[in-house]
Amino acid sequence: MAPFVCVPCVWCLAKAYITRDEAMRDLRCMSFVGKDNSHVVVAGCQSTMLKVDAEKGRVIEAVPTQHEYMMMKQSKYICAATTDGSVNLLDADTLRIVKTLSTNNVGICDMDARNNYLVTCGWVNRPQGTPMLAGLANVYDLRAMVQLPPIPFHAGAAHVQMHPKMSTTCILASQGGQLQVVDLMNSNTVNLRQANISTYMSGLILAPSGEALAIADADGFVHLWGSPSKLQFAEFSNSGPDWGDNPEPPPVLDVGQDHPLNTVGIPYYREQLLSGWSNSLVYEVGDPPVKIDPALLKLAQQNELGFFAPNLRKTRRNQAEKTRSSETNGSTISAPKFLSEKAREAEQEQSLDQKVDELQDALAHSLLENATKSDVPIIYRNVEIKYSRFGVDDFDFEFYNRTQHSGLETHITNSYTNPLLQLLKFTPLFRNLALHHTATSCLYDTCLLCELGFLFDTLEKAEGQNCQATNFLKAFSSISHANRMGFLEETGSGSSLADMIQSACRFLLTQTAEDYKRITPSQNLFQQTLAVDALTTIRCVHCRHETTRPGGGYITDLTYQANNSPNHRHRPSIPTFSQVLKASVELQTQTRGWCVQCKRYQQLATRKEVGKMPDVLMINAALKSAEARQYWATQGWLPDSIGIIVDNGKFFCFEGEDLRLHLEKGLHVVKVYDLVGIVVDVTSGEHQKSHLVSLVNTNISANETGPPNWHLFNDFLVRRVSREDALTFPTTWKLPSVITFQSTAAKHAVDDSWKEKLDTTILYHYWSINNRPPEDCRVLELESEAPAAGTYVAIDTEFVKLQQEEIEIKADGDREVVRPIRLGLARVSVLRGSGEEEGLPFINDYITVREDIVDYLTKYSGLEKGDLDPQHSPHNLVPLKVAYKKLWLLSNLGCIFIGHGLPKDFRTINIHIPKSQVLDTVELFYIKARQRKLSLRFLAWYLLKEDVQLGNHDSIEDARTALKLLRKFEEYRDAGIIDTMVEEVYREGKKWGYKPPGEAQALARSENGGEGSTLRVPPSGLEGRETPEFLGASGPGTPGRRTAGRSEYFESPVR
């Protein structure tokens, strides 16, 4: 029991520690506020309320008020009773009045607030004008801020206490000692008691446990009520409080050489200290000392002051070395050399293929033999992309992946979802749904199911080459309600990656279900594949009234029952995965809610009745306790397969030997599921952020049967692992997040019939969001120009800059690209590659960009400000998805794309075109031994006798020029002189600096300060307008040269 303390004494104690303020005139009441109750709100019969820091002992805020307060209670709001008998509900943060409750009393004598209810007792005026205790206690609901029916108490309610454990129970007491225990929701049922007091009751208080009651009377006695068999009361009171009016000064310690430092006291802090913060909040500050160069130690000589040695001068003056990098614990995999570096070393040492093989062998030997060890295997650690001056194309992704399965890159926002995307891609039924939906006429910008279909098709066609989920993640981040759910990296919610990926999975399944209904609202195939068909029954414990509602969902959260057994001598047996899954699917809970029959809040019991299980079972591990982690740490706890029986709403799950016996008996229909894969959370080191990887049995989605084939997908690192490594979960660094099972009957059910059902309507109609027809363009005719396998199309694209590159300058002055330039597709032109109208565009789309554009790159793209704005653009604008889907359809129809430097364009567009469908003029006129690729402008000048790219770039002109170069190549090939002509092009290109003469001469003048050119320029003032006849360079059938407009493409050595 808490001792009774006189209120004036409390304020004496407060004023002893708080600097006296002019605002402290007549304080009467107080209430704790704040999450840790470190602040106190005080008020009284004065015009100011004060907020006091109870730990630091000072007033931190003074709030003016027009009311005088006599009493305060804390609940959802601060309930403050005024001198005129009303109650103000105050906001705990701002102390502003939220609502004023009228009690119809002239004054409040007592009140209590708890569990969203407020009960008040007060006085009313007699007919003679003198006050008396009211015979009604007022009750209020603080959630709805409305008054409930009052509680009659004819003896006059003088004191009230809410029960701390029973949310709707309160105790009323009169001055004569009559006690009434009543339920606020049913005031007709009361329990009366009488306290034997000789005078009148002056106070009433309940113990925090609710099992004891203390009554104070006017004679100074305290009457303790309770069950003697359950409670024990102290017979003597504690010593009086130490008010500390005159605190003693701290002793003066003379700390000398012989004085132990442990005698010096340190203060006690209630708040968390810096040393107690979690590892995720601790950051390394400063650098370790520089290590002495071993070569310097060899030259060092000793004298009376120490050692001295000559300066080796390996660094510049005042240059500081970044020593933190040398102190890392190897939490990430060391990046290989860039491809450009390996190409230079290949001629001197060995072939590039052999060297890559050796690097892969070294990576293979780094696998951990026993996955239960505390050290994190190297293939599970973070992987990072390094950028050279040639950009990301120079990074050796093949070092990390020699399999036929493609990985995903990491330099994109929200790329933490990469493991989940890989898991869904290798779930055949979900993969089929996405691709079949993508092949329809769906053109919604934010359709995630279409974006997943595009991504899955790209991953399959890449066959081991690295890919990126740029378009999907852009659509994923653009959905408005995704920002409010806390799983986007840009919102910075601070949640763990495990919680974020589980929330993202739930959102993704729900959103893709809505996307599927947009096109096929009458079909429920998505529901049958992924949703649990169940009914939730809600029963009122009081009146037994039952209601039912749909209780299915697309994902199941595992619930782990806590071990509450009192016998701790024997270690409790760990339930199997099947038992935990059964308890999670048939989840039974009890919560407090509104009963429509009782018309009040009651205890409600909920249970689920399962009607049918889906073919794909998505599960969230939901690891919240150490006990749940121990389940997963048990070797073999996650089974390869499970069996499920649904009978009359009952759910049964089996695994291992039990599953085999049920299948042999054949008494019930058992639906067997195979484990597809898991998304796991990996913690690389103590001070390292965790990251997600996926472990997938790729045999489930293979076209042919075979043994389990487990692979690790660590972003762009893909590696085959053993089953034991995949299904072992050391709690120190590897914890599961999302698990996927699929029906065994759907194993290898890869359906590619969507390729025969492509909706190509968009290719034969104009599409514009600003109602402007395409310029210099005519769409294809369905009857005569339908694209088919082998149809030639010429393509070129233009981009705008959406984000500048991030550069880190090292101590030695070297520049390292941390994040590369991010480009966005702004224009795409596709031309007919054959037929009577060869060279005529049928796609000339400008793409509206929703993100902020950093640079339009006008010199290289031909785009200017306003060209991509739907309100001001003179061109036809289409959404990114419309332009992308046109190219995707042409790719899947088997068209052959002709262009110059297409791999970089396709990478930025985020589409993969098989090499068999690409004719790149860069490669056609390329000699590998020369290690230089020729630009489109130089090839057009030398082979076609045309000057292109003289002004701003034009994608139609570039695509048409590439198509002409292909025809020129075919001429040389048919004449049998292709090798001779390519050698001649390189020979003349070296003579002119691989640039047309006009451009080379202008470059030379700029380098020589405008004093003329040092190059040998042909006579007659050519300067790029005419082409000299070098060894018959024009070739047979070369047309006369004409002038066009465009400059060299941005940052591309081959454009």
Side-chain angles (χ1 to χ4, degrees):
M1 290 294 298
F4 287 93
V5 180
C6 178
V7 173
C9 295
V10 174
W11 288 113
C12 291
L13 175 63
K15 291 183 180 182
Y17 286 95
I18 300 174
T19 303
R20 185 174 296 275
D21 196 295
E22 292 295 331
M24 295 183 181
R25 294 189 181 92
D26 191 0
L27 301 178
R28 300 294 183 90
C29 54
M30 71 175 185
S31 175
F32 286 101
V33 294
K35 295 182 179 179
D36 53 355
N37 288 337
S38 60
H39 294 166
V40 179
V41 174
V42 294
C45 297
Q46 57 183 42
S47 61
T48 305
M49 288 190 298
L50 304 176
K51 183 179 287 188
V52 180
D53 190 324
E55 295 183 356
K56 298 180 180 179
R58 67 167 183 262
V59 177
I60 60 177
E61 185 179 3
V63 180
T65 177
Q66 299 178 355
H67 301 272
E68 297 180 347
Y69 295 112
M70 302 295 296
M71 190 181 306
M72 281 186 175
K73 295 292 181 180
Q74 181 183 10
S75 181
K76 184 176 182 180
Y77 303 99
I78 298 177
C79 304
T82 64
T83 56
D84 60 2
S86 61
V87 179
N88 289 339
L89 303 183
L90 306 180
D91 185 274
D93 296 327
T94 63
L95 301 183
R96 303 301 181 189
I97 297 176
V98 178
K99 188 176 180 61
T100 299
L101 304 177
S102 176
T103 63
N104 298 322
N105 296 332
V106 296
I108 303 294
C109 61
D110 196 10
M111 69 176 182
D112 196 11
R114 194 186 297 269
N115 298 322
N116 296 314
Y117 292 104
L118 171 67
V119 183
T120 64
C121 304
W123 290 279
V124 295
N125 285 327
R126 288 190 177 98
Q128 298 82 5
T130 58
M132 62 175 289
L133 291 172
L136 294 173
N138 296 311
V139 183
Y140 303 91
D141 188 340
L142 297 181
R143 285 172 296 190
M145 290 188 287
V146 297
Q147 185 173 2
L148 300 179
I151 302 173
F153 191 52
H154 301 292
H159 307 281
V160 61
Q161 283 283 295
M162 296 290 296
H163 198 283
K165 298 296 181 63
M166 305 169 67
S167 59
T168 60
T169 300
C170 75
I171 300 177
L172 297 173
S174 68
Q175 288 184 337
Q178 183 176 341
L179 302 175
Q180 176 175 308
V181 183
V182 61
D183 188 346
L184 301 180
M185 298 292 100
N186 189 8
S187 59
N188 297 325
T189 303
V190 297
N191 190 351
L192 294 176
R193 292 289 187 273
Q194 179 65 43
N196 296 324
I197 55 177
S198 58
T199 57
Y200 63 90
M201 183 184 299
S202 62
L204 173 69
I205 188 170
L206 269 170
S209 63
E211 298 179 353
L213 177 68
I215 300 172
D217 62 15
D219 291 335
F221 292 99
V222 177
H223 305 264
L224 303 177
W225 285 41
S227 175
S229 61
K230 295 182 179 180
L231 298 175
Q232 293 182 357
F233 296 99
E235 297 181 2
F236 304 98
S237 63
N238 295 331
S239 60
D242 183 9
W243 303 116
D245 292 334
N246 298 312
E248 297 182 0
V252 179
L253 296 178
D254 185 13
V255 181
Q257 294 292 336
D258 300 329
H259 194 89
L261 294 178
N262 60 356
T263 60
V264 180
I266 60 175
Y268 174 75
Y269 298 94
R270 294 183 62 181
E271 65 270 13
Q272 193 175 23
L273 298 180
L274 178 65
S275 58
W277 288 3
S278 62
N279 292 332
S280 61
L281 299 178
V282 178
Y283 300 92
E284 296 172 338
V285 178
D287 289 333
V290 179
K291 293 183 178 180
I292 301 176
D293 193 338
L296 192 66
L297 292 177
K298 294 180 180 180
L299 302 175
Q301 299 180 13
Q302 187 175 10
N303 61 8
E304 63 275 6
L305 298 178
F307 292 85
F308 70 95
N311 189 358
L312 299 179
R313 300 190 182 277
K314 292 185 177 182
T315 59
R316 301 176 182 178
R317 177 177 295 182
N318 299 327
Q319 178 180 332
E321 179 182 351
K322 186 176 181 181
T323 57
R324 178 66 64 187
S325 58
S326 62
E327 297 294 325
T328 56
N329 57 1
S331 60
T332 60
I333 301 177
S334 299
K337 292 184 178 181
F338 292 110
L339 295 177
S340 57
E341 296 175 339
K342 293 181 179 181
R344 288 192 297 266
E345 296 175 357
E347 298 179 358
Q348 302 176 1
E349 299 180 2
Q350 51 186 328
S351 67
L352 180 61
D353 293 337
Q354 182 179 355
K355 192 168 184 180
V356 170
D357 290 339
E358 292 180 358
L359 291 173
Q360 291 300 316
D361 293 339
L363 181 62
H365 291 310
S366 66
L367 279 171
L368 199 64
E369 296 180 358
N370 186 1
T372 61
K373 293 176 63 176
S374 59
D375 294 337
V376 182
I378 190 172
I379 60 173
Y380 283 88
R381 298 180 184 175
N382 282 304
V383 290
E384 298 178 358
I385 301 176
K386 300 296 183 181
Y387 305 95
S388 72
R389 62 190 181 94
F390 299 112
V392 71
D393 296 332
D394 200 24
F395 187 74
D396 187 8
F397 287 100
E398 191 178 2
F399 172 79
Y400 298 91
N401 182 14
R402 295 297 293 267
T403 70
Q404 61 179 349
H405 307 296
S406 298
L408 291 171
E409 297 176 17
T410 60
H411 62 278
I412 313 164
T413 306
N414 295 313
S415 60
Y416 78 94
T417 58
N418 285 348
L420 178 61
L421 301 179
Q422 293 281 15
L423 180 59
L424 294 175
K425 184 258 179 184
F426 285 99
T427 305
L429 294 182
F430 187 88
R431 174 255 184 205
N432 296 341
L433 286 172
L435 285 171
H436 277 272
H437 176 83
T438 308
T440 64
S441 60
C442 178
L443 292 176
Y444 290 99
D445 289 349
T446 59
C447 179
L448 296 184
L449 196 57
C450 279
E451 296 298 340
L452 286 173
F454 293 143
L455 178 61
F456 295 165
D457 185 46
T458 298
L459 288 170
E460 292 179 359
K461 289 178 178 177
E463 296 182 345
Q465 297 183 32
N466 58 295
C467 300
Q468 50 186 345
T470 308
N471 292 349
F472 168 79
L473 294 177
K474 187 182 298 183
F476 180 72
S477 305
S478 65
I479 299 177
S480 58
H481 56 279
N483 295 318
R484 302 189 296 267
M485 301 183 71
F487 52 75
L488 297 181
E489 290 180 339
E490 52 264 38
T491 59
S493 62
S495 303
S496 65
L497 278 179
D499 293 339
M500 290 173 62
I501 196 65
Q502 293 177 65
S503 300
C505 182
R506 187 185 306 278
F507 168 79
L508 183 58
L509 295 176
T510 304
Q511 188 66 31
T512 50
E514 296 298 325
D515 295 338
Y516 188 83
K517 292 178 183 178
R518 290 177 178 177
I519 303 301
T520 54
S522 60
Q523 300 183 15
N524 59 352
L525 181 60
F526 198 97
Q527 298 280 339
Q528 296 175 2
T529 304
L530 289 156
V532 177
D533 182 14
L535 287 178
T536 298
T537 302
I538 305 173
R539 179 172 58 87
C540 176
V541 176
H542 185 263
C543 68
R544 308 295 180 182
H545 177 262
E546 288 190 355
T547 58
T548 59
R549 64 184 183 188
Y554 296 101
I555 196 162
T556 302
D557 291 337
L558 293 183
T559 56
Y560 308 88
Q561 301 295 330
N563 179 35
N564 299 321
S565 175
N567 185 7
H568 298 288
R569 295 182 179 179
H570 303 286
R571 185 177 180 180
S573 60
I574 295 179
T576 64
F577 176 83
S578 300
Q579 293 171 340
V580 173
L581 181 59
K582 173 179 170 59
S584 305
V585 174
E586 293 184 326
L587 184 62
Q588 298 184 11
T589 59
Q590 279 199 2
T591 56
R592 192 166 184 83
W594 182 261
C595 176
V596 295
Q597 188 75 16
C598 301
K599 304 296 183 183
R600 66 188 63 184
Y601 288 96
Q602 300 284 11
Q603 286 293 118
L604 303 179
T606 61
R607 70 178 189 276
K608 280 188 178 181
E609 294 184 0
V610 180
K612 186 179 179 182
M613 294 299 292
D615 293 328
V616 176
L617 193 58
M618 302 294 297
I619 302 171
N620 277 342
L623 293 178
K624 301 296 183 182
S625 64
E627 186 178 11
R629 293 186 179 93
Q630 285 303 120
Y631 292 177
W632 288 91
T634 304
Q635 189 72 24
W637 192 74
L638 180 63
D640 288 309
S641 59
I642 58 174
I644 293 177
I645 299 175
V646 178
D647 187 13
N648 294 327
K650 299 294 182 181
F651 176 88
F652 304 94
C653 189
F654 307 96
E655 63 180 79
E657 188 64 21
D658 291 340
L659 174 60
R660 188 185 64 82
L661 292 176
H662 277 82
L663 292 175
E664 288 182 355
K665 292 179 181 179
L667 300 178
H668 299 88
V669 178
V670 183
K671 192 169 186 176
V672 182
Y673 291 81
D674 291 326
L675 177 63
V676 178
I678 323 105
V679 176
V680 299
D681 187 6
V682 176
T683 304
S684 299
E686 182 179 0
H687 295 286
Q688 300 294 326
K689 293 183 179 180
S690 63
H691 66 286
L692 300 172
V693 303
S694 57
L695 294 153
V696 180
N697 180 9
T698 57
N699 177 258
I700 300 292
S701 59
N703 292 322
E704 300 178 357
T705 59
N709 192 9
W710 286 91
H711 281 74
L712 166 71
F713 290 87
N714 183 4
D715 292 323
F716 53 82
L717 186 152
V718 183
R719 187 75 184 182
R720 185 173 182 178
V721 295
S722 65
R723 174 190 174 278
E724 290 72 20
D725 288 341
L727 302 185
T728 302
F729 303 95
T731 57
T732 55
W733 61 270
K734 181 183 178 185
L735 293 175
S737 296
V738 181
I739 308 100
T740 301
F741 284 89
Q742 181 182 267
S743 173
T744 305
K747 192 174 183 180
H748 313 300
V750 177
D751 183 10
D752 286 333
S753 61
W754 58 271
K755 296 181 179 179
E756 303 172 359
K757 305 174 183 178
L758 294 173
D759 189 320
T760 59
T761 308
I762 193 174
L763 295 176
Y764 308 107
H765 294 85
Y766 291 117
W767 181 278
S768 177
I769 63 175
N770 57 346
N771 297 322
R772 293 184 180 274
E775 304 165 355
D776 303 326
C777 175
R778 185 174 64 79
V779 296
L780 297 174
E781 296 291 338
L782 177 61
E783 293 77 10
S784 59
E785 296 180 305
T791 301
Y792 278 11
V793 293
I795 182 174
D796 191 68
T797 55
E798 306 295 351
F799 304 96
V800 292
K801 188 188 297 185
L802 303 179
Q803 177 180 308
Q804 298 282 9
E805 65 178 357
E806 298 178 15
I807 300 175
E808 178 181 299
I809 301 179
K810 298 183 178 180
D812 57 359
D814 290 342
R815 294 157 50 97
E816 180 180 356
V817 179
V818 178
R819 189 180 293 271
I821 291 174
R822 185 161 62 90
L823 302 177
L825 182 63
R827 183 185 179 188
V828 56
S829 300
V830 184
L831 285 60
R832 294 167 173 83
S834 59
E836 296 180 358
E837 297 183 335
E838 178 178 328
L840 179 64
F842 63 92
I843 296 176
N844 186 25
D845 291 336
Y846 290 75
I847 292 87
T848 177
V849 179
R850 296 181 177 179
E851 301 176 73
D852 294 335
I853 299 176
V854 176
D855 190 351
Y856 282 86
L857 306 175
T858 303
K859 181 179 179 181
Y860 313 103
S861 66
L863 300 170
E864 298 179 352
K865 186 175 181 180
D867 285 348
L868 307 182
D869 186 351
Q871 297 181 354
H872 305 94
S873 177
H875 313 291
N876 69 301
L877 290 177
V878 301
L880 174 63
K881 182 177 179 179
V882 172
Y884 185 95
K885 191 162 188 176
K886 291 179 181 180
L887 301 181
W888 184 78
L889 288 171
L890 293 174
S891 171
N892 284 283
L893 290 172
C895 295
I896 297 178
F897 292 82
I898 303 165
H900 194 83
L902 290 180
K904 186 174 182 179
D905 289 355
F906 290 150
R907 172 182 170 80
T908 308
I909 298 172
N910 196 19
I911 192 172
H912 185 90
I913 309 297
K915 291 183 178 180
S916 59
Q917 293 179 234
V918 176
L919 287 176
D920 196 337
T921 51
V922 168
E923 303 296 333
L924 296 181
F925 298 95
Y926 174 57
I927 300 177
K928 189 174 182 180
R930 299 295 182 93
Q931 297 185 6
R932 171 184 284 272
K933 295 183 178 180
L934 304 177
S935 68
L936 180 68
R937 184 177 182 185
F938 177 76
L939 289 174
W941 170 80
Y942 189 78
L943 297 177
L944 303 180
K945 300 184 181 300
E946 294 182 8
D947 286 333
V948 298
Q949 301 178 350
L950 293 181
N952 292 339
H953 283 210
D954 179 31
S955 55
I956 294 180
E957 179 193 39
D958 284 1
R960 187 175 289 125
T961 302
L963 182 59
K964 292 180 180 179
L965 287 174
L966 172 65
R967 297 308 181 195
K968 183 64 66 176
F969 175 85
E970 292 174 346
E971 291 180 17
Y972 295 152
R973 183 193 58 193
D974 295 341
I977 58 172
I978 182 62
D979 293 337
T980 304
M981 291 305 304
V982 174
E983 288 285 353
E984 181 180 320
V985 170
Y986 269 93
R987 184 168 55 252
E988 294 301 323
K990 186 176 182 180
K991 182 187 302 182
W992 298 103
Y994 298 98
K995 299 179 183 295
E999 182 180 355
Q1001 187 179 24
L1003 179 63
R1005 282 199 300 266
S1006 64
E1007 292 178 351
N1008 290 277
E1011 297 180 358
S1013 173
T1014 58
L1015 295 176
R1016 182 172 60 86
V1017 182
S1020 69
L1022 295 176
E1023 297 186 359
R1025 291 185 294 274
E1026 296 181 4
T1027 305
E1029 298 293 339
F1030 291 125
L1031 302 177
S1034 60
T1038 302
R1041 202 156 58 130
R1042 63 182 180 84
T1043 300
R1046 226 178 147 179
S1047 178
E1048 190 174 6
Y1049 184 65
F1050 177 71
E1051 286 192 347
S1052 176
V1054 297
R1055 298 290 298 264

